[in-house]
Structure formats: C-alpha cells, structure tokens
Amino acid sequence: MAGSGAGDGDVHARVKYKGVARTADGRWRGFITNKFGKRYGVGDHGTPEEAALAHDRAILAILGAHASPAALNFRAAFSDTELRFLRGPHAPSRRAAGVIAAVMRGAAFDAELERFAARAYDAHTDPELALDVAAFRLASRDADALAQPERDAERAAFVAAARNKVHDAAWLRSYLQRRRLVGATFEDENRWPPVVPPPVVDVGDGFAGNELVYLPYGSCHVDEMMITA
C-alpha cells in the first residue's frame, strides 16, 4: 500500500490506498495481489485515486459479489450499473482478464461504461437492467408519464448516476474525510445488484416441451435466443 500524497492536502496524506505504489517516474501504479503474494499490474495512472480505482475494479471483475469491502478502497463509489458491467453477462468480456485489460485503459473504460449505461436505460427487455432503471426512478421521481424531452433528460441523469463517484472531487473529499473519522460506513457494505432470472417464454405445442430462453442482452431477435429442452 502507498500513501496518496497528492490532491487535497492533509486528508489525502492520511489515507493509504490498497494496491497502489509510486513509480520511479512519479506516476501511480495500480496492482492486485494473489493469495501467493504475486503482484499483477493494472496500469500506471496519473493520480493515486485513479490507481486505487483500477485496483478496485480489477478485484470486482475477478471476485464479483465475493469481494470483501475490506479489500477495496472505494466500495461506495460503484453504482449497480457499473457492477453489472464489471462482472457477469453484461461485462465487456466473458473473462476477468479481458475486463481488467479494459480497466487498465482508464478513461476509455469510463467512456465505455457511460455507453453501456445509456444502452441499459433503453434495455427494457432485460430484467436486470430494467431493475436498475426502476431503482433510479424510485430514488428520483416517477417517470412513467414523461414526455420525450424529459425522458432524454432522465436518460442523461441515469448515465451520470452510473459513473464512478471517485471522479467527483467533492464526493471523494467527503468520503475520505468520513472514512478517516469513523472508518467503514453503511455505504461500504458488501452488496451486489440483485440478479433476476431471465424470462422464459412457452412457445406452445409446436416445440413439444421446449422453451425459448431470452439471453440477457436486452434483445428479442431469434438468433440471440437459445432453445432448451
């Protein structure tokens, strides 16, 4: 672990981030460590916070719901939408290594997360992503009767809410201050977005007991379905 030494003075100076080390050229390297103590780099970054965030994303991509909040720097900074993007059927890669490769690109990962959040808002046929949109609306206001301009504004707000909060300097300053004073808070609890079983559609006698199961991509095209016995 390395102290953050940059940013907001004494608050940052008192914080030690997990999986962060200073490089010889003054940048900050994120890394994860396996159970045998071997380190794996997750990119060099311009600030200790960016390196700490890369560490957290890599851990979540590997462990998902099994990741302990104690192993993370910024558990409270992750939206449910980002958690779905880091691990599971919505991740940009089926393998954790592929997700980590995207994480190492930093800003490129954030841009792809925003594009995913925009698609998630529109993915009404995907039960898990629709759940995220419903939760967002419940936390803000009832949007059932929104006109199109208002829906566009809500869509933009949903995308903004999906961004990682570490990029919000005011949030980060407040979070680090609270953590320094009181330790872990309720925001750091080990929660994971609920998983909704995909809808099963009975297609009638013609399939003699077979069912069409929608794959979880928000699509209803026949070539993206599976037939199961």
Side-chain angles (χ1 to χ4, degrees), residues 32 42 53-67 72 78 82-89 91-104 109 192:
I32 55 177
V42 291
L53 179 56
H55 162 274
D56 288 5
R57 283 171 165 167
I59 293 290
L60 290 167
I62 295 169
L63 297 180
H66 301 293
L72 304 173
F78 290 82
E82 181 173 3
L83 294 176
R84 296 194 196 282
F85 190 56
L86 282 166
R87 183 174 172 86
S93 171
R94 292 293 186 181
R95 299 174 63 247
V99 179
I100 293 172
V103 166
M104 292 173 68
F109 179 89
W192 196 260

Side-chain angles (χ1 to χ4, degrees), residues 165-176:
K165 298 183 186 70
V166 168
H167 298 305
D168 182 334
W171 180 90
L172 179 62
R173 188 162 45 246
S174 174
Y175 176 72
L176 294 178

Side-chain angles (χ1 to χ4, degrees), residues 45 112 136 164 166 206 215 227:
H45 304 271
E112 184 57 34
F136 172 78
N164 195 286
V166 168
L215 294 179
I227 296 180

Side-chain angles (χ1 to χ4, degrees), residues 170-190:
W171 180 90
L172 179 62
R173 188 162 45 246
S174 174
Y175 176 72
L176 294 178
Q177 184 73 27
R178 291 196 313 277
R179 198 179 68 178
R180 183 174 66 84
L181 293 174
V182 302
T185 71
F186 72 92
E187 298 171 300
D188 298 300
E189 66 185 12
N190 189 23

